[in-house]
Amino acid sequence: MMASSDDSTIPSHTKAWFYSEHGNPGDVLKIHPNWPIPELKEDQVLIKVVAASLNPVDNKRITDFYKDIYTPDPHLPIVPGLDVAGIVVKVGVQVKKFKVGDEVYGDINEDGIQNLKILGTLSEYTIAEERLLAHKPPNLSFVEAASFPAAVETAYEGLERADFSAGKSILVLGGAGGVGTQVIQLAKHVWGASRIAATSSTGKLEFLRKLGVDFPIDYTKENFEELSEKFDLVYDTVGQTERALKGVKEGGKVVTIVPPGVPPAIFFVLTSKGSILDKLRPFFESGKVKPVLDPLTPVPFSQVIHALSYIQTAKATGKVVVYPIP
């Protein structure tokens, strides 16, 4: 028996965006009015989705960009979406951390883009394991909270894997993107970087300065690898690993989140953990680490295809969040 406030009010189906074949989101993404909600497992919670953020990986999944590297969508049809902020409506019998009515957030897919859940977050309801979620800080709106999980957890894991530490310098490639904006803030406020450089287009240089970047680099005018200054860590969020290796100090490190990666760069795919969000909660509550929302946010549920097309342009600043749902 699963614990809930009133099982008779728990839905068995949900409205959701889904795709049955790979292709351009505008061609293959459709709304399903009655997608079946899977049976809740003992360690899972059912969430009423309030807001869901979009990630570049959503487009790459739908277009089958990863087909030569992974099989990210072994089951079709499937509902996309990784990031969620919402309200717990039902809990499995082994769940201890959350109760019905709790406000939660997280990245619901533990293994990056593999072993994907059939029911993602672009849906009225979704399901996630307890260990992937955290309590939403009360000072964050649902939209703000939904913008954090995949991006900030990726930023955190990369800095950890690189053994980054106080007093070191860092160059962030793609500083204005969803992950880049969080790498900058974590490097500055959590790790205590001595100097932060980051690349962006001309129009975003001032934004980077306000975010805490000491040395913004206009990639339309300068090649970062040709600069005399080198860095302890280059964090590549855009797929320029070979160039990144030329921008690092002797003994420094390069981390990349874009496959396939080029040794000796450290390539990784995020393992989602609610515990990372819990660790960072004091920084969210103090406002030291802030959500960064693209001006397109909030995107109505009906406009998901338009928002995914916008993300494909790589012009977004920070995160695009879908709200309200539906």
Side-chain angles (χ1 to χ4, degrees), residues 92-291:
V93 291
Q94 290 182 0
V95 172
K96 302 284 191 290
K97 186 175 175 182
F98 306 109
K99 64 184 187 303
V100 171
D102 282 355
E103 298 179 350
V104 298
Y105 69 135
D107 170 357
I108 70 162
N109 217 76
E110 188 162 23
D111 302 322
I113 53 168
Q114 299 192 83
N115 302 315
L116 289 160
K117 289 185 168 66
I118 298 293
L119 178 59
T121 60
L122 291 178
S123 170
E124 282 183 276
Y125 291 87
T126 195
I127 286 172
E129 287 74 22
E130 175 182 35
R131 64 185 174 274
L132 307 185
L133 301 170
H135 290 279
K136 180 181 78 65
N139 63 308
L140 295 180
S141 70
F142 283 102
V143 169
E144 290 170 330
S147 76
F148 268 126
V152 83
E153 290 178 40
T154 299
Y156 185 95
E157 184 172 337
L159 289 165
E160 274 213 322
R161 282 174 178 259
D163 297 318
F164 196 64
S165 57
K168 288 184 177 178
S169 62
I170 181 171
L171 167 60
V172 184
L173 305 184
V179 175
T181 53
Q182 297 305 324
V183 175
I184 290 163
Q185 294 187 86
L186 296 188
K188 186 177 184 74
H189 299 294
V190 180
W191 267 268
S194 60
R195 183 163 165 82
I196 301 174
T199 63
S200 77
S201 57
T202 313
K204 295 178 181 177
L205 298 175
E206 188 54 36
F207 163 78
L208 290 182
R209 285 189 190 95
K210 288 179 178 170
L211 199 61
V213 173
D214 305 297
F215 180 23
I217 301 166
D218 184 343
Y219 68 71
T220 70
K221 296 177 181 172
E222 288 189 280
N223 292 322
F224 66 83
E225 71 272 30
E226 294 172 4
L227 297 169
S228 58
E229 182 174 358
K230 305 299 177 187
F231 301 87
D232 294 304
L233 172 62
V234 180
Y235 198 126
D236 170 27
T237 75
V238 294
Q240 297 177 339
T241 312
E242 290 191 27
R243 291 175 62 195
L245 289 165
K246 297 173 186 170
V248 76
K249 286 179 181 175
E250 193 170 335
K253 293 181 180 176
V254 172
V255 165
T256 185
I257 60 172
V258 182
V262 180
I266 302 163
F267 166 69
F268 77 97
V269 175
L270 170 67
T271 301
S272 174
K273 295 185 184 114
S275 59
I276 296 175
L277 298 175
D278 286 331
K279 276 182 201 167
L280 294 174
R281 181 176 174 128
F283 297 93
F284 300 150
E285 290 187 328
S286 68
K288 283 184 175 173
V289 176
K290 296 178 172 65

